Amino acid sequence: MKHLPNILSSFRIVGAVALLQNNVSSIPFWVFYIVCGISDIADGWLARKLKCVSKTGALLDSVADICFVACCAWKLLPILELPQWLWLWAGVIVVIKVVNQISALVMYRRCYFPHTLANKATGFLLFIAVPMTFCTVIPIVIVAAIATFAAICEGISYEQI
C-alpha cells in the first residue's frame, strides 16, 4: 500500500506517453488526459495520507509532471491558437524555471523541484484550463500568472534546500 503513490506517478508517465499515441480529437486522448490529471492530484494526497512521503516519490512525481506537461504541450500547442504575447510569456516562465534548475545545480549540486502551494495550484489549474483554452485564452492567462509567481518563488525558496 505504501508504494501506491509511486505507482500512480509511474502510471502518469506511461499515460503521458499514451497521449502521444492518440489524436487530440479522440476519446482515448481525453481519457488518458483526465486519468493522468487525477493521478497527479491523488499521488501526493495518498503519500501524505499513507504517511509514505519520500524524496524518491517527490522526484518521481516531478518527473511524471514534466512528462505529462511535455506530452500535452507536444500534442496541444500546435493546434491551439494562442496569441504571440502568450507564447512569449510561456517562454519567460520556462526560462525562469531553467535558470532556477541551473542555479540549484551550481549552488547545491542537485536538482530542486519544490512542491509549493503555488506549483500545486499551477498544475491543477493548468489541468482544468487546457480544455477551456479551445474556447478562450482567459483561463490559460490566469494559469500563466500563477505559474510566473510559482517560478519566481522557486528561485527564492532555495534557502530551504
Side-chain angles (χ1 to χ4, degrees):
M1 195 67 141
K2 71 178 188 168
H3 298 292
L4 185 58
N6 290 349
I7 291 168
L8 286 174
S9 294
S10 299
F11 175 78
R12 189 161 62 261
I13 295 169
V14 173
V17 172
L19 289 172
L20 297 175
Q21 307 304 314
N22 289 282
N23 189 307
V24 174
S25 61
S26 71
I27 291 174
F29 178 89
W30 291 103
V31 168
F32 280 113
Y33 179 84
I34 290 167
V35 170
C36 287
I38 291 171
S39 78
D40 185 25
I41 296 164
D43 62 359
W45 180 82
L46 278 172
R48 289 184 295 279
K49 186 82 169 163
L50 298 173
K51 294 181 173 63
C52 57
V53 174
S54 68
K55 287 184 180 184
T56 302
L59 179 61
L60 183 60
D61 177 55
S62 294
V63 168
D65 290 346
I66 291 167
C67 289
F68 181 44
V69 169
C71 291
C72 286
W74 182 267
K75 292 297 279 194
L76 294 168
L77 289 180
I79 63 172
L80 289 173
E81 295 182 20
L82 300 175
Q84 187 175 12
W85 60 266
L86 194 54
W87 285 98
L88 292 171
W89 191 356
V92 168
I93 295 167
V94 169
V95 167
I96 293 169
K97 288 188 150 298
V98 168
V99 167
N100 287 342
Q101 284 304 316
I102 292 169
S103 298
L105 284 170
V106 168
M107 293 173 17
Y108 303 105
R109 292 183 171 74
R110 59 178 268 201
C111 291
Y112 181 58
F113 300 103
H115 291 122
T116 64
L117 186 57
N119 277 333
K120 290 176 185 181
T122 299
F124 176 72
L125 292 173
L126 185 61
F127 169 64
I128 303 263
V130 164
M132 290 187 270
T133 304
F134 286 100
C135 302
T136 177
V137 296
I138 293 171
I140 209 73
V141 169
I142 294 167
V143 172
I146 296 168
T148 304
F149 174 76
I152 292 168
C153 288
E154 279 180 24
I156 296 168
S157 68
Y158 285 144
E159 296 146 13
Q160 299 172 4
I161 294 182

